[in-house]
Amino acid sequence: MLDRKQKLSRLIELGLEVSQISDLDVLLEKILTEARKLVNADAGSIYIKEGKDTLKFSHAQNDTLQAKLGPGKKLIYTTFSMPINNKSIAGFVANNGTTSNIPDAYKISSVLPFSFDGSYDKISGYHTQSMLTVPLKNTRGQIIGVLQMINAQDDDGNIIAFLDEDEPLVQHFANMAANAIERAQLTRTTIMRMISMAELRDPKETGPHVNRVAAYSLEIYEAYAKRKGIPQKKIDAQRDALRMAAMLHDVGKVAISDNILKKPGKFTEEEYAVMKQHTVLGARLFNGARSDFDEIAEEVALNHHERWDGKGYPGHIDLETGKPLPGYADEDGNPRGKKEEEIPLFGRIVAIADVYDALSCKRVYKEAWSEEDVLEALKSGAGSQFDPELIDVFMEIIDVIRSIQARYPDRE
Ligand code: C2E
Ligand code: SIN
Ligand code: SIN
Ligand code: SIN
Ligand code: FE
Ligand code: FE
């Protein structure tokens, strides 16, 4: 457990750390992790306000439940919404903007307006006891969500009440977090607008597809990186950029005309050749790499249709001219496809995420496949279309992949 002085100095560092994260999901996870560390809480959740009067349960962590899962497995939780009113603890905090520090959730005084909903405890076998719930307030004093810490622990792991003296500390952290969240929400809205305006000109399909491909890609990367012993610090540093880059993998489709993009049937060879340009066109948008994000976005847009066996596209090209790089033309003068590890890692990862999603869903040109058929296609593509080790990783985390699918359903 940190002492008071350590907590204060950590708080100052954290202000800078959270201000540097621009991806919303990565940020929420970081906020939850650090807030829990600050007060030694076993579990925690974040609720984000949606519209005027709803709270959406957005993120959860729980060390005890996590420890019961195998190593490398992730907690799977479903999102749900609740009204902002005084009946629930989180609702009360969002409604009144006050902090609530409850020593025992199962012994809440009946004079208080709220009660604890123990249904999640019943399902999970977890026992919630102490709860510290603080509002997430932006600089204008508006409440954008709620941060909830669960089960403070002493140094021996016994559950204790949250210290009164920790309240201002957590509130201060929550205020910094709220501003960072607001900024990330704005970035995300901007990116989503850019995608839905440009990419498909059909907002119906875009959001969920793009979110799923990004979320799958992150999970594949994390599981692979752990397997390879890539340090957590490096993983964390790349997550943010990878997520946004994966969301923009098809942004080059902006430049493809509607009669090709939305053709309700199979492409001719010429149409397919035009469509293939979306990789190069997308990559050019990020050319000149000003940041990690630009670099990774270029890598993903350019390489997500390369194949492990070298038969993908666009191959070894000069991004500016689109012509083969010197020494990389085949006998017909076409660029040779990139092969195996010539394909950058994030390209190999997004390729799997993208095809898994494309096959699982209905598109204008195809019906949805059954999960069995999709997984069969991925397995039989291991070593030809896809990096075989990454397919291994993907099959290992298939439960997490399914939960993402459930979290971002296609809109009707
Ligand atoms: P997308 O719909 O996001 O599909 C991404 C990739 O998933 C495809 O890359 C392909 O590797 C795989 N995929 C999708 N559907 C099928 C399928 O039915 N069978 C198999 N074996 N693989 C599938 P690809 O082929 O390079 O296509 C890139 C993009 O071009 C697609 O993105 C889609 O927007 C468009 N596209 C491809 N073929 C057609 C077509 O016949 N008609 C139309 N309208 N669009 C197509
Ligand atoms: C962002 O937040 O920076 C946009 C991408 C995302 O949120 O996933
Ligand atoms: C609440 O804040 O009342 C919801 C907490 C929970 O059910 O876990
Ligand atoms: C879609 O049809 O949902 C989008 C295709 C894509 O963006 O890959
Ligand atoms: Fe693509
Ligand atoms: Fe795609």
Side-chain angles (χ1 to χ4, degrees):
M1 230 165 142
L2 303 177
D3 67 29
R4 184 138 188 95
K5 208 168 147 215
Q6 288 169 320
K7 283 178 187 169
L8 287 173
S9 68
R10 184 72 192 118
L11 199 57
I12 292 164
E13 290 166 8
L14 281 174
L16 185 63
E17 286 177 27
V18 299
S19 74
Q20 287 169 339
I21 300 175
S22 54
D23 180 89
L24 187 57
D25 281 296
V26 174
L27 178 66
L28 293 177
E29 234 172 90
K30 171 86 176 167
I31 288 169
L32 205 44
T33 306
E34 298 297 343
R36 288 173 48 231
K37 268 196 215 153
L38 221 45
V39 295
N40 213 29
D42 185 45
S45 319
I46 293 184
Y47 298 79
I48 296 294
K49 191 169 167 184
E50 273 194 339
K52 274 195 163 38
D53 41 33
T54 306
L55 272 185
K56 188 171 172 218
F57 178 84
S58 305
H59 264 75
Q61 293 173 355
N62 187 314
D63 286 347
T64 297
L65 294 178
Q66 182 68 54
K68 287 188 190 159
L69 298 171
K73 298 273 182 197
K74 282 213 162 187
L75 266 188
I76 288 165
Y77 56 88
T78 47
T79 53
F80 60 87
S81 295
M82 61 163 98
I84 296 183
N85 60 34
N86 289 348
K87 291 190 175 144
S88 68
I89 301 159
F92 179 87
V93 167
N95 208 16
N96 301 283
T98 48
T99 291
S100 146
N101 189 349
I102 297 171
D104 190 337
Y106 287 89
K107 292 182 188 150
I108 293 176
S109 157
S110 58
V111 302
L112 291 171
F114 48 77
S115 57
F116 171 66
D117 172 6
S119 53
Y120 180 72
D121 274 7
K122 279 214 184 73
I123 299 168
S124 64
Y126 188 70
H127 183 77
T128 300
Q129 191 172 316
S130 56
M131 288 177 119
L132 177 62
T133 311
V134 295
L136 292 161
K137 270 188 211 164
N138 67 17
T139 37
R140 280 157 287 140
Q142 296 158 331
I143 292 164
I144 63 149
V146 165
L147 175 64
Q148 188 162 62
M149 309 285 99
I150 297 168
N151 287 0
Q153 292 173 312
D154 65 16
D155 285 332
D156 301 321
N158 304 308
I159 308 298
I160 54 173
F162 287 92
L163 306 176
D164 289 343
E165 63 169 40
D166 278 347
E167 286 180 28
L169 217 66
V170 175
Q171 275 158 2
H172 184 79
F173 177 67
N175 292 341
M176 296 188 313
N179 287 310
I181 291 171
E182 228 182 11
R183 217 179 6 78
Q185 284 172 329
L186 186 68
T187 308
R188 170 173 299 199
T189 307
T190 308
I191 289 184
M192 292 314 286
R193 278 186 194 142
M194 181 170 157
I195 290 167
S196 60
M197 217 179 68
E199 185 189 4
L200 284 169
R201 306 167 209 110
D202 179 6
K204 242 177 74 190
E205 289 191 276
T206 313
H209 169 65
V210 154
N211 276 308
R212 286 189 305 257
V213 171
Y216 300 152
S217 299
L218 270 192
E219 297 297 341
I220 299 169
Y221 172 58
E222 273 200 280
Y224 174 84
K226 288 212 179 99
R227 194 191 253 230
K228 292 287 182 196
I230 296 176
Q232 191 64 41
K233 256 206 143 63
K234 170 146 189 229
I235 301 176
D236 289 344
Q238 304 247 55
R239 275 173 61 97
D240 194 34
L242 174 58
R243 197 181 148 78
M244 291 189 282
M247 290 180 94
L248 293 166
H249 70 277
D250 271 339
V251 72
K253 286 181 181 174
V254 200
I256 308 296
S257 67
D258 265 7
N259 52 10
I260 291 182
L261 191 64
K262 295 195 178 154
K263 180 177 177 175
K266 282 260 152 223
F267 280 162
T268 64
E269 208 164 309
E270 290 77 25
E271 289 165 338
Y272 195 29
V274 173
M275 176 54 97
K276 285 177 174 172
Q277 283 302 308
H278 80 275
T279 49
V280 181
L281 297 169
R284 280 182 194 152
L285 289 176
F286 307 107
N287 201 5
R290 283 164 304 278
S291 64
D292 275 4
F293 164 68
D294 289 308
E295 196 176 310
I296 293 177
E298 179 185 325
E299 182 175 313
V300 166
L302 188 65
N303 294 294
H304 73 278
H305 289 294
E306 297 289 354
R307 290 173 51 112
W308 188 250
D309 59 13
K311 294 181 184 157
Y313 63 90
H316 293 278
I317 56 156
D318 177 329
L319 197 54
E320 267 163 47
T321 62
K323 299 262 182 299
L325 284 174
Y328 282 106
D330 64 16
E331 50 267 34
D332 303 321
N334 296 318
R336 247 181 45 211
K338 292 180 191 169
K339 211 176 159 173
E340 299 180 8
E341 266 136 28
E342 288 174 358
I343 311 163
L345 176 64
F346 291 154
R348 281 153 31 216
I349 288 175
V350 173
I352 295 172
D354 186 31
V355 173
Y356 175 79
D357 201 62
L359 298 181
S360 301
C361 299
K362 187 175 178 317
R363 290 283 161 86
V364 287
Y365 62 97
K366 62 172 276 296
E367 287 303 318
W369 294 19
S370 72
E371 193 196 74
E372 198 188 340
D373 289 346
V374 175
L375 294 185
E376 197 40 54
L378 291 191
K379 279 182 201 149
S380 70
S384 51
Q385 189 169 357
F386 307 114
D387 178 340
E389 186 169 8
L390 286 174
I391 292 289
D392 258 14
V393 167
F394 185 86
M395 297 302 164
E396 269 172 20
I397 60 167
I398 190 65
D399 288 350
V400 181
I401 300 290
R402 287 189 187 116
S403 77
I404 293 168
Q405 218 162 12
R407 185 140 37 105
Y408 300 108
D410 276 319
R411 282 164 241 150
E412 285 308 314

